[in-house]
C-alpha cells in the first residue's frame, strides 16, 4: 500500500503536534501525516513531565531556550485559556539551599530579567507569607509570579483532537521499518509506504536514531536520565501552594528535586524528579525495556566524565544521582522544607525519562535544544525541558529557520 503527504511528522509528542498546528495555522500546507509508534499519544516525555510552564529564568541569554521559553509559555497559557483547560497559576519560588549558592540567585535573577521573565527578589517575610514552611538560609529567594502548572496529557489530547478536525492524518501504533532518503519515502512495519515532500523528525528519545538515516547527529550520544516522583500524602501537615525549587547547578540540565502543586481543583503536591541514568530510553520501570549495549556505553561515558570531573560531574554524582533513594531525596527536600519526613511521602507511579544528548566531540552534556536540517528533512534533537513550555514558539522558530528555507 502506498500513500503520499506533503509533510510527514515522525513523533506525536508536544513538539510534533505544535509544529503541525503552526504549519496549518500559517497556511504552509494542508497535507500532514503524523506517525507515532504508540497507539495513544503522550506515552513518553510529553505525558510524563512535571507540567510546569517555566517563565524563562535559567537559560543563557543567547540560547534557543531563552529565545522561546517565555513566549512559548505565554502562548500556551492563552491557548489553554481559550479552551478552558486546567491551569494552576501558582507561581514559583527559587531558594538557595546553601549559603555558597546565594550569589547564583543574582545570576539567575539577571538571566531571568534579560529573558523577559517577571521576577522579584523577596526576603524571608515575603517568602514565609507565600510558603510558611519554606527554609530561607540566606534570607533571600526569587519569586516568579508567572510560572504555572498544567496537565500535559489534557493538552496533548486536545491538540490531537483539534488537528484531527483540521484534517491531519494520524498513523498511530506504527513502527518505522525503513526510510529511503533518496526516494523521500518511509516504510512502516505494517507495509504502508509513505512518500513525503518534507520530513520532520520529532520522535523525542528516538530522534537521534532516526537522524542517523540522514547522516546527521553523528557527534551525539543519547544519555537517558530517569526522573522519579514522590507525592505528599493527603494527611501531610503542610502543603506548599506554589512551586518550590532549589537554586540549581547551572552547569547541568537538571533543576534539582522540587515541590510542584498539580493543576487539579484540590491540588496534590509532587516532589521530584530525580535524575539517574536509565538503562534504556524507555526503561521506566524495573527491568523493562533494557538496552544493555547502549547502557554499557553510557556508563563508560559517565564514568569518564566523573573521573575527569568535566562539567562539574563529580558534584552531580554525589548530590543528584543518589536522589532516587528515599533517604537521599528526603535530605534534599529538607533543604527546601525542613520539616518534611519520609512518613509524609509516597512514591508516585509517574516516571519520566529525559532524552539528554551528550556531545562526544566536546565531552559535554548539551544544555540547549538542537535542531538540524539536511535537504528536505528537519530533526529536533535534544528536546529536553522546557520544550513543553516553549513548544508553540519553538515550532515557529523551526518553521522560520528551517522549513521555509527548504526549496
Ligand atoms: C521528568 C521530566 C520532567 C519534565 N518537566 C518539564 C516541565 O515541567 N516543563 C517543561 O516545559 N518541560 C518538562 N520536561 C521536558 C518535556 O517533557 C519535553 O521537553 C517534551 O515533552 C519533549 O517533547 P517531544 O515531542 O520532543 O518528545 P516526546 O513527548 O517523547 O514525543 C516523541 C513521540 O515520538 C514517538 N516516537 C518515538 N520513536 C518513534 C518512531 N520510531 N516512530 C514513530 N514515533 C516515534 C513517541 O511515541 C512519542 O509520542 C520534562 C521532562 C522530563 C523527562
Amino acid at each position: 500500500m502506498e500513500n503520499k503527504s506533503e509533510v510527514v511528522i515522525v513523533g506525536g509528542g508536544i513538539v510534533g503536534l505544535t509544529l503541525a498546528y503552526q504549519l496549518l495555522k500559517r497556511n504552509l500546507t494542508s497535507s500532514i501525516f503524523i506517525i507515532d509508534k504508540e497507539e495513544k499519544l503522550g506515552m513518553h516525555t510529553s505525558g510524563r513531565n512535571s507540567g510546569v510552564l517555566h517563565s524563562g529564568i535559567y537559560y543563557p541569554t543567547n540560547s534557543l531556550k531563552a529565545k522561546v521559553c517565555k513566549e512559548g509559555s505565554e502562548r500556551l497559557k492563552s491557548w489553554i485559556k481559550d479552551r478552558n483547560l486546567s491551569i494552576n497559576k501558582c507561581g514559583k519560588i527559587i531558594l538557595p539551599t546553601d549559603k555558597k549558592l546565594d550569589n547564583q540567585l543574582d545570576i539567575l535573577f539577571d538571566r531571568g530579567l534579560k529573558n523577559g521573565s517577571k521576577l522579584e527578589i523577596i526576603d524571608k517575610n515575603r517568602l514565609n507569607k507565600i510558603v510558611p514552611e519554606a527554609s530561607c538560609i540566606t534570607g533571600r529567594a526569587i519569586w516568579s509570579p508567572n510560572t504555572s502548572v498544567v496537565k500535559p496529557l489534557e493538552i496533548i489530547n486536545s491538540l490531537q483532537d483539534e488537528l484531527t478536525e483540521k484534517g491531519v492524518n494520524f498513523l498511530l501504533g506504527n513502527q518505522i521499518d525503513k526510510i529511503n532518503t533518496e526516494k523521500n519515502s518511509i516504510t512502516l512495519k505494517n507495509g504502508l509506504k509513505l512518500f513525503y515532500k518534507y520530513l520532520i523528525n520529532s520522535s523525542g528519545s528516538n530522534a537521534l536514531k532516526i537522524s542517523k538515516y540522514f547522516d546527521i547527529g553523528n557527534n551525539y550520544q543519547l544519555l537517558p536520565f530517569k526522573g522519579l516522583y514522590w507525592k505528599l500524602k493527603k494527611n501531610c501537615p503542610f502543603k506548599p501552594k506554589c512551586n518550590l525549587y532549589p537554586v540549581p547547578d547551572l552547569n547541568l540540565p537538571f533543576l534539582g528535586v522540587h515541590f510542584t502543586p498539580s493543576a487539579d481543583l484540590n491540588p496534590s503536591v509532587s516532589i521530584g524528579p530525580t535524575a539517574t541514568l536509565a538503562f534504556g530510553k524507555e526503561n521506566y520501570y524495573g527491568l523493562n525495556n533494557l538496552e544493555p549495549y547502549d547502557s554499557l556505553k553510557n556508563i563508560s561515558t559517565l564514568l569518564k566524565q566523573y573521573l575527569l570531573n568535566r562539567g562539574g560531574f563529580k558534584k552531580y554524582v554525589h548530590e543528584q544521582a543518589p536522589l532516587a533513594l528515599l533517604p537521599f531525596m528526603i535530605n534534599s527536600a529538607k533543604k527546601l522544607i525542613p520539616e518534611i519526613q519520609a512518613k509524609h511521602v509516597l512514591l508516585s507511579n509517574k516516571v519520566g525519562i529525559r532524552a539528554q544528548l551528550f556531545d562526544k566531540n566536546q565531552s559535554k552534556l548539551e544544555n540547549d535544544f538542537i535542531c538540524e536540517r539536511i535537504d528536505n528533512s528537519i530533526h529536533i534533537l535534544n528536546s529536553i525541558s522546557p520544550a513543553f513550555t516553549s513548544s508553540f514558539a519553538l515550532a515557529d522558530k523551526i518553521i522560520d529557520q528551517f522549513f521555509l528555507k527548504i526549496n
Side-chain angles (χ1 to χ4, degrees), residues 35-223:
I35 303 172
D36 202 289
K37 70 186 177 73
E38 306 294 347
E39 297 284 351
K40 266 171 49 187
L41 297 186
M43 299 299 284
H44 299 291
T45 335
S46 297
R48 295 171 167 275
N49 59 53
S50 305
V52 177
L53 295 193
H54 292 285
S55 70
I57 302 173
Y58 301 98
Y59 324 113
T61 318
N62 55 359
S63 63
L64 181 52
K65 285 185 179 180
K67 291 185 181 121
V68 291
C69 183
K70 189 211 163 211
E71 185 195 327
S73 168
E74 280 172 6
R75 285 172 62 179
L76 190 47
K77 274 188 214 162
S78 112
W79 191 89
I80 286 169
K81 189 172 172 219
D82 291 346
R83 285 148 189 87
N84 212 10
L85 301 182
S86 317
I87 184 160
N88 182 350
K89 295 184 177 171
C90 55
K92 159 168 157 177
I93 279 169
I94 306 178
L95 280 176
T97 51
D98 188 310
K99 286 200 170 138
K100 279 185 282 184
L101 291 171
D102 192 56
N103 70 335
Q104 303 253 3
L105 207 66
D106 297 314
I107 298 175
L108 280 179
F109 186 67
D110 194 46
R111 274 190 189 179
L113 291 185
K114 283 191 179 132
N115 296 344
S117 187
K118 185 176 173 196
L119 298 177
E120 272 178 75
I121 298 263
I122 55 172
D123 64 11
K124 192 171 185 319
N125 279 346
R126 272 288 296 290
L127 168 69
N128 288 142
K129 274 194 190 127
I130 305 169
V131 184
E133 312 79 15
S135 116
C136 194
I137 285 187
T138 68
R140 302 194 309 152
I142 288 177
W143 168 235
S144 158
N146 288 340
T147 303
S148 302
V149 185
V150 296
K151 293 189 176 176
L153 270 179
E154 206 180 66
I155 293 169
I156 294 291
N157 293 337
S158 183
L159 266 168
Q160 181 183 4
D161 290 347
E162 236 170 274
L163 290 171
T164 307
E165 265 171 39
K166 289 179 201 284
V168 171
N169 282 295
F170 282 89
L171 292 171
L172 302 186
N174 279 290
Q175 288 280 353
I176 292 173
D177 189 27
K178 273 186 251 148
I179 301 183
N180 187 327
T181 56
E182 274 163 28
K183 294 198 169 140
N184 293 332
S185 70
I186 291 187
T187 309
L188 304 178
K189 289 243 163 83
N190 66 3
L192 175 70
K193 194 170 189 179
L194 200 54
F195 289 91
Y196 58 81
K197 188 168 171 198
Y198 308 100
L199 180 122
I200 298 180
N201 166 16
S202 53
S203 56
S205 61
N206 275 315
L208 184 63
K209 188 170 148 201
I210 290 180
S211 74
K212 295 199 171 156
Y213 280 99
F214 299 81
D215 206 17
I216 269 192
N218 295 320
N219 54 321
Y220 296 118
Q221 176 179 347
L222 180 91
L223 295 176

Side-chain angles (χ1 to χ4, degrees), residues 70 101 142 159 218-219 228-229 302 329 360 362 364:
K70 189 211 163 211
L101 291 171
I142 288 177
L159 266 168
N218 295 320
N219 54 321
L228 300 177
Y229 292 86
L302 290 184
M329 191 287 286
K360 292 188 276 184
Q362 297 189 48
K364 68 172 181 72

Side-chain angles (χ1 to χ4, degrees), residues 241-262:
K241 289 195 179 59
C242 76
N243 289 286
L244 193 59
Y245 279 62
V247 168
D249 180 340
L250 295 174
N251 291 312
L252 293 170
F254 314 122
L255 298 182
V257 162
H258 45 262
F259 290 79
T260 300
S262 71

